[in-house]
Amino acid sequence: MENKNNQVEEFITKLFSIDDIRKRVRTSEYVNARMTYAYIMRKLGLSLTQIGKSIGKDHSTIIHYIKSIESYIKTDDELLKKFNNAKKEFLNEKEDPVVVVDNSELLFEINSL
């Protein structure tokens, strides 16, 4: 599984144009890369603790990443494209259809985060 971790990590760092997914930077590209990585690795069967250790984060942060990415892709077209690209590469999943959400639904999701 270590080899798969490295493949996913390498792919995502290139996809998001960052140098290291473990770097403690809070810019959107780094955070989006970490969220995408966490989602992919969870779908591949890794535990929250394993994912957290691989990128220097706590398991609770990984839970937050996995829950949050689904909301973020609804409002960020560029993230949606990269997210779908990673899912297609490692999970053999088709692209998510773009769903238009009204403002009240987005506000509810934001407040629930």
Side-chain angles (χ1 to χ4, degrees):
M1 185 56 88
E2 184 67 32
N3 188 30
K4 190 59 133 179
N5 288 13
N6 293 339
Q7 289 175 347
V8 174
E9 182 180 330
E10 184 177 318
F11 181 85
I12 288 178
T13 54
K14 287 180 184 175
L15 182 66
F16 284 88
S17 302
I18 61 172
D19 55 346
D20 185 0
I21 201 165
R22 289 174 203 77
K23 196 172 187 179
R24 294 197 173 271
V25 177
R26 289 182 167 181
T27 61
S28 62
E29 285 302 307
Y30 282 87
V31 174
N32 291 343
R34 288 191 293 263
M35 286 192 301
T36 302
Y37 174 84
Y39 181 91
I40 297 294
M41 297 311 291
R42 185 65 173 162
K43 290 287 187 177
L44 290 174
L46 268 72
S47 72
L48 299 170
T49 304
Q50 288 172 316
I51 299 166
K53 283 182 180 179
S54 71
I55 58 174
K57 297 291 181 185
D58 185 86
H59 76 281
S60 61
T61 302
I62 302 305
I63 293 169
H64 176 71
Y65 284 166
I66 293 169
K67 286 182 179 179
S68 297
I69 194 157
E70 293 172 358
S71 295
Y72 289 134
I73 62 174
K74 291 179 182 176
T75 59
D76 186 338
D77 290 336
E78 189 62 31
L79 174 58
L80 176 64
K81 289 176 191 171
K82 291 176 181 179
F83 179 74
N84 283 332
N85 194 347
K87 280 177 42 178
K88 194 177 350 176
E89 180 74 21
F90 294 103
L91 304 177
N92 298 319
E93 292 184 17
K94 295 180 181 175
E95 291 184 7
D96 286 335
V98 176
V99 178
V100 178
V101 200
D102 65 28
N103 287 341
S104 62
E105 190 176 340
L106 281 176
L107 285 173
F108 177 77
E109 285 190 39
I110 290 168
N111 289 330
S112 68
L113 293 175

